[in-house]
Amino acid sequence: KGSKSTPCALLSRGRSPLETMSHWMVTLPNEGNNLAEDTFAKLREHTELENLAEAKQLVVPKLLVGTLDSLMSLSDELGKYDSAIEVVVRKIERQYSDVVGGKEALADPLKVGPVPPKRFLEEFQWDIAKYPNRRPLPELVQLILGGVGSVEEDLKNLSINLSEKTQQLSALNRKKGGNLAMAPLEEVLTPDVIQGSGVQFLDTDYLRTVVVVINKAAEPEWLNVYQGIGTDIAGYGGPDWASGGGCGQNDGNFGAEIDRQRETGSPVVPGSATRVVAEGEHVLYTVVILKGQYEAGHIEGDEFKQGNFVDFFDNFKASAREKRFIVREFEYDPSAKTVSTQEQADDLDAQVQQQKGSMVRWCKTHFGEAFSAWVHVKVIRAFVESVLRYGLPPNFVLAVLKLTPNKEKQVMQALDR
């Protein structure tokens, strides 16, 4: 504001899992022959003595200025870079809080190395080894952004893996407590249940046994209509030799021209419904259906071309659903070892807990890297804006103000003075 100071964007505003204080990064020119110590003392006089803010001076190594055009171009981009890195910092905060819980995040907050973020900011020292200050500023900014980009990509992959495992566990827990329409059929249709019901699971070239779950109230309707479910599925049409002049006469309805769907019917084998088990509001039946049929083949030259196979299962499932009967996919293998849903849930839960532990360790390790990068970008931003405002050579004081709550307006007025 004015010509006396340049406040940089707020580093922490409002409530976050880590900070409740607001900090401003500001620069003030060393006017006349004033030393940096004198300028900073004047800043403290206008802020601390009036209980508006607590000031901390930051010492930054000399940065390469470059050309005026490069500074102006960089100034236009630094605001976006600042915001982008803040997004990454907040993502890490949020992920950490989601995994450990809000209370635990407050009890064991994320740190920048061994110190809290607030202390790191107030005692900031430029990391020359990681971000060499004698590199051109655009190159230095890209170096910082590259490191943050890698952190964000790692966080994305870890979050996706954890989310997938958590969703799988939730789905498994729902199935574990579900009814016959949802419960794992491997645990319902055990060998003892199947043997006790007398049902046979067929899977031949022509027939298959399917499982249907029915609401108990609809059981009479099921027994009355099941034999006619899907009357347009199976095609029974063929050459009409009886009325077309006898066997071998060309009636235009054979070979590639045959219309199987000229006569249709249900694929259900009459009388095949078997009541297997009842549980809660549902009953489980099996029924035998035709597996499917081949479309008519034909001769091309001297070669016979077999028609495509049409599976009836999906169409039967859809037709049953229209009558509110649930067809469930199930392949019975008496020799297969069944892993219970509880065992699967226990195994998945262990994987989820392991991934949560990895996520917590990752957040604690990489939060400091992202936060440090954020502060470095803010320092560069303050440097660039100050050079553009105050001119060359760079001659200003960089400081951080920890604002007293609800004193932002008064601080701005103090800086203008």
Side-chain angles (χ1 to χ4, degrees):
K1 296 291 183 179
S3 61
K4 295 295 184 69
S5 63
T6 298
C8 198
L10 291 181
L11 190 59
S12 176
R13 169 179 284 176
R15 286 188 172 272
S16 79
L18 302 177
E19 299 288 347
T20 57
M21 299 295 294
S22 290
H23 290 76
W24 286 5
M25 189 176 289
V26 300
T27 61
L28 296 94
N30 295 316
E31 295 179 333
N33 295 320
N34 284 349
L35 298 176
E37 292 79 4
D38 297 332
T39 303
F40 181 67
K42 188 176 180 181
L43 172 64
R44 294 188 62 185
E45 177 184 345
H46 284 83
T47 55
E48 293 189 2
L49 295 182
E50 298 179 32
N51 196 30
L52 301 178
E54 181 181 342
K56 299 285 184 180
Q57 184 177 357
L58 303 185
V59 179
V60 180
K62 292 183 179 180
L63 301 175
L64 290 180
V65 174
T67 65
L68 181 61
D69 287 344
S70 67
L71 286 181
M72 294 181 67
S73 176
L74 188 59
S75 176
D76 293 338
E77 299 296 327
L78 281 171
K80 293 186 290 186
Y81 298 153
D82 187 333
S83 299
I85 298 177
E86 180 181 7
V87 169
V88 177
V89 172
R90 299 307 182 196
K91 281 182 179 178
I92 298 175
E93 287 181 347
R94 185 166 56 253
Q95 187 68 66
Y96 178 71
S97 180
D98 289 345
V99 172
V100 304
K103 290 183 179 180
E104 183 63 28
L106 292 174
D108 184 19
L110 294 171
K111 296 180 179 179
V112 185
V115 301
K118 181 169 71 71
R119 182 177 169 187
F120 175 85
L121 172 62
E122 294 171 356
E123 300 176 0
F124 174 76
Q125 293 184 347
W126 187 276
D127 190 342
I128 296 179
K130 192 168 186 178
Y131 307 122
N133 62 298
R134 301 313 293 170
R135 284 195 179 187
L137 285 179
E139 183 180 326
L140 190 57
V141 170
Q142 290 304 315
L143 176 64
I144 297 173
L145 292 176
V148 175
S150 297
V151 170
E152 185 176 24
E153 186 65 23
D154 288 347
L155 177 61
K156 176 183 175 181
N157 293 332
L158 287 170
S159 299
I160 289 174
N161 292 335
L162 178 57
S163 177
E164 288 177 349
K165 291 294 183 183
T166 303
Q167 290 174 10
Q168 291 173 16
L169 180 59
S170 298
L172 207 56
N173 284 331
R174 287 195 299 271
K175 288 175 63 177
K176 184 175 63 177
N179 51 38
L180 289 176
M182 298 177 58
L185 292 180
E186 294 81 2
E187 297 180 28
V188 176
L189 297 175
T190 62
D192 290 341
V193 170
I194 291 174
Q195 185 176 0
S197 65
V199 67
Q200 281 188 307
F201 275 89
L202 302 177
D203 188 12
T204 69
D205 290 340
Y206 305 104
L207 301 173
R208 71 175 291 181
T209 301
V210 299
V211 174
V212 186
V213 176
I214 300 129
N215 192 289
K216 277 186 177 179
E219 189 173 7
E221 179 189 359
W222 156 258
L223 293 173
N224 188 47
V225 305
Y226 81 90
Q227 296 179 136
I229 293 176
T231 54
D232 60 345
I233 294 176
Y236 298 111
D240 189 10
W241 287 325
S243 62
C247 183
Q249 297 298 315
N250 185 354
D251 64 352
N253 188 33
F254 64 92
E257 306 300 326
I258 193 168
D259 182 12
R260 284 283 177 90
Q261 297 301 115
R262 181 165 54 86
E263 297 288 343
T264 61
S266 171
V268 176
V269 176
S272 62
T274 302
R275 194 178 200 265
V276 180
V277 64
E279 184 178 294
E281 297 297 320
H282 294 85
V283 183
L284 188 146
Y285 271 83
T286 62
V287 67
V288 178
I289 66 171
L290 297 175
K291 186 172 258 186
Q293 68 184 137
Y294 282 94
E295 295 175 342
H298 60 281
I299 300 292
E300 284 188 10
D302 296 330
E303 185 179 356
F304 174 73
K305 297 290 186 179
Q306 181 171 279
N308 296 323
F309 183 76
V310 180
D311 194 304
F312 291 158
F313 178 78
D314 287 339
N315 288 334
F316 175 75
K317 182 177 181 180
S319 295
R321 184 168 59 244
E322 291 175 0
K323 297 182 179 296
R324 299 186 180 180
F325 305 140
I326 303 171
V327 176
R328 300 197 56 190
E329 297 192 32
F330 177 69
E331 293 183 8
Y332 178 58
D333 183 359
S335 63
K337 181 181 179 181
T338 301
V339 180
S340 71
T341 306
Q342 184 61 53
E343 291 175 318
Q344 295 178 53
D346 290 343
D347 180 59
L348 261 179
D349 184 63
Q351 294 180 43
V352 168
Q353 296 307 318
Q354 182 180 19
Q355 290 200 5
K356 283 185 175 181
S358 298
M359 177 65 80
V360 169
R361 291 189 294 272
W362 186 93
C363 288
K364 288 186 173 182
T365 301
H366 292 85
F367 171 79
E369 181 180 351
F371 191 89
S372 173
W374 190 21
V375 177
H376 278 79
V377 164
K378 283 191 173 293
V379 170
I380 294 175
R381 186 180 178 190
F383 177 84
V384 170
E385 292 181 2
S386 298
V387 170
L388 291 175
R389 174 165 295 190
Y390 307 142
L392 292 171
N395 185 25
F396 53 84
V397 170
L398 176 63
V400 166
L401 301 180
K402 184 176 74 174
L403 274 64
T404 302
N406 303 317
K407 295 291 185 179
E408 289 86 352
K409 184 176 180 180
Q410 293 91 321
V411 172
M412 291 299 298
Q413 293 171 349
L415 292 175
D416 284 339
R417 295 198 298 269

